[in-house]
Amino acid sequence: MTATPTATAKQQPMQPVPALQAALAAEHTAVYGYGIAGALLTGGDRAAALADWRTHEQARDTLEAMIVKLGATPVAASPAYALPFTVNDARSARRLAAALEDGVTQAYLGLVAVSDTTLRTFGALAMQPPANRAAEWRGSTVAFPGMGALVPHGGLPAPHSPWAPHIPPAWHAGQLIRAGGPR
Amino acid sequence: MLAASTTTLPLFLALSACAGPNPLAGPPPLSSDVRGLFDAVTDEQNLIWIYKRTMASYSAVAPALGALLAEHEAHLAQLRAMIVEPPGKTIPSTVTRKPAVPGTAATAVAQLRAAEQSATTAQLRRLARAAAPLAQLYASIAASEATHVSALTALAARSPGR
């Protein structure tokens, strides 16, 4: 699944807690997904999956602490998640790992839309490790990590301004893997 | 319509100040979003120039660099598409930094790696003042450039001239 522009340019700014919760949900998904992917991998790939799994556990704990600090209750992990495709061998496990990292990258991109500049920077920096891991698992880089596809255009030039930016809608985190039972 | 003269101009300006922008004051300053986009466009053009020169000088690394160059060209196209050009004007396409290509493939790739790292930092500096969707574009491009840093690190390790 790719990111979808679910709002218009006139929407309210992204709020910190929902954006953090979306990132936490993506980390929960990654922790679950690496459990499946790692079981199907061997050698260096298995070691990499284990390291990545631990990294996502740490990121999950960091996000939970941030959400608690803001006075909210962190979203809980689901008991199981529906995978986006059948995962039954090493090749599909590597593909799943890349998809998990894409989902996390996309979720952190949602944090970049909040107005708090500290959280923006946190989200932008947090995108880079999963984008790198996705490239490692995929074997290639992408032009717009976290965006899935090119940015939509939706803005209009401001009156009386010789140069104006197109302001597209903000991108929201979409869940790559839905909570629910495995397929 | 009022004719511009020493007697009518002050009245005209006073009325203009109440009614909207002053037509005699020249174009208004660029918004911070447009300035940020111009800077980002220039940075991408500079990176693309270095990639092309490096690829022309070292054919052995050109295939690997070609994929990264294509992503920078996608970044540039997307950044340019974010700017509304007024009639009769175009977005500047000037390359402002043209470093010499180093003497070995490995050092040339290392130069590209350093340029990618600088570009990532520059994108992050733009975040605070940008509209949210533009900040997201800068963040995504920064993440892309971070993956390029990793790819170039691996490429430098296996390039001639280490």
Side-chain angles (χ1 to χ4, degrees):
Chain A
M1 189 186 295
T2 58
T4 50
T6 56
T8 68
K10 293 178 181 174
Q11 71 176 95
Q12 295 296 311
M14 179 85 77
Q15 296 301 309
V17 170
L20 286 165
Q21 298 279 31
L24 175 58
E27 293 289 6
H28 281 318
T29 306
V31 169
Y32 175 88
Y34 268 105
I36 292 171
L40 294 165
L41 296 168
T42 57
D45 279 349
R46 189 187 186 109
L50 181 60
D52 293 349
W53 178 64
R54 286 179 177 146
T55 299
H56 287 293
E57 283 193 319
Q58 289 169 359
R60 175 201 62 194
D61 295 346
T62 299
L63 288 166
E64 284 178 345
M66 292 170 77
I67 291 165
V68 168
K69 199 172 176 182
L70 290 174
T73 302
V75 293
S78 292
Y81 293 79
L83 302 182
F85 45 81
T86 302
V87 181
N88 55 8
D89 57 13
R91 186 177 177 203
S92 56
R94 283 192 294 272
R95 196 173 147 218
L96 174 62
L100 294 168
E101 299 296 355
D102 285 340
V104 171
T105 307
Q106 181 182 317
Y108 282 117
L109 181 67
L111 265 173
V112 179
V114 303
S115 54
D116 181 302
T117 55
T118 303
L119 271 182
R120 267 191 184 191
T121 303
F122 170 82
L125 289 171
M127 287 174 69
Q128 296 182 8
N132 259 313
R133 290 191 294 267
E136 285 285 327
W137 287 114
R138 190 184 298 109
S140 62
T141 58
V142 297
F144 297 100
M147 288 191 153
L150 291 181
V151 183
H153 298 166
L156 295 171
H160 311 304
S161 175
W163 296 91
H166 276 297
I167 303 294
W171 288 70
H172 288 226
Q175 279 202 287
L176 183 75
I177 300 175
R178 299 187 311 277
R183 282 180 187 166
Chain B
M1 185 166 185
L2 293 173
S5 72
T6 52
T7 53
T8 57
L9 188 58
L11 173 63
F12 182 77
L13 292 176
L15 290 172
S16 298
C18 298
N22 179 355
L24 302 181
L30 298 179
S31 72
S32 64
D33 277 330
V34 172
R35 283 199 307 274
L37 282 164
F38 275 16
D39 289 345
V41 162
T42 300
D43 284 354
E44 284 295 341
Q45 288 169 163
N46 289 344
L47 271 173
I48 287 169
W49 188 90
I50 303 174
Y51 266 90
K52 287 182 173 173
R53 288 297 302 268
T54 304
M55 290 168 68
S57 301
Y58 298 106
S59 58
V61 294
L65 297 182
L68 307 185
L69 171 62
E71 290 176 1
H72 281 297
E73 286 171 336
H75 298 163
L76 178 59
Q78 194 61 36
L79 289 164
R80 292 176 71 97
M82 291 290 161
I83 304 171
V84 179
E85 291 176 322
K89 302 217 175 197
T90 55
I91 302 164
S93 56
T94 312
V95 174
T96 58
R97 283 197 303 271
K98 297 180 177 178
V101 178
T104 67
T107 50
V109 170
Q111 176 174 267
L112 273 174
R113 183 186 180 283
E116 291 274 13
Q117 189 66 62
S118 297
T120 303
T121 305
Q123 301 291 4
L124 296 177
R125 274 201 302 268
R126 293 186 184 104
L127 291 181
R129 296 174 61 84
L134 293 181
Q136 288 180 302
L137 177 59
Y138 296 144
S140 181
I141 293 175
S144 169
E145 289 163 346
T147 66
H148 292 184
V149 170
S150 299
L152 292 167
T153 301
L155 180 61
R158 58 177 192 270
S159 296
R162 290 186 70 222

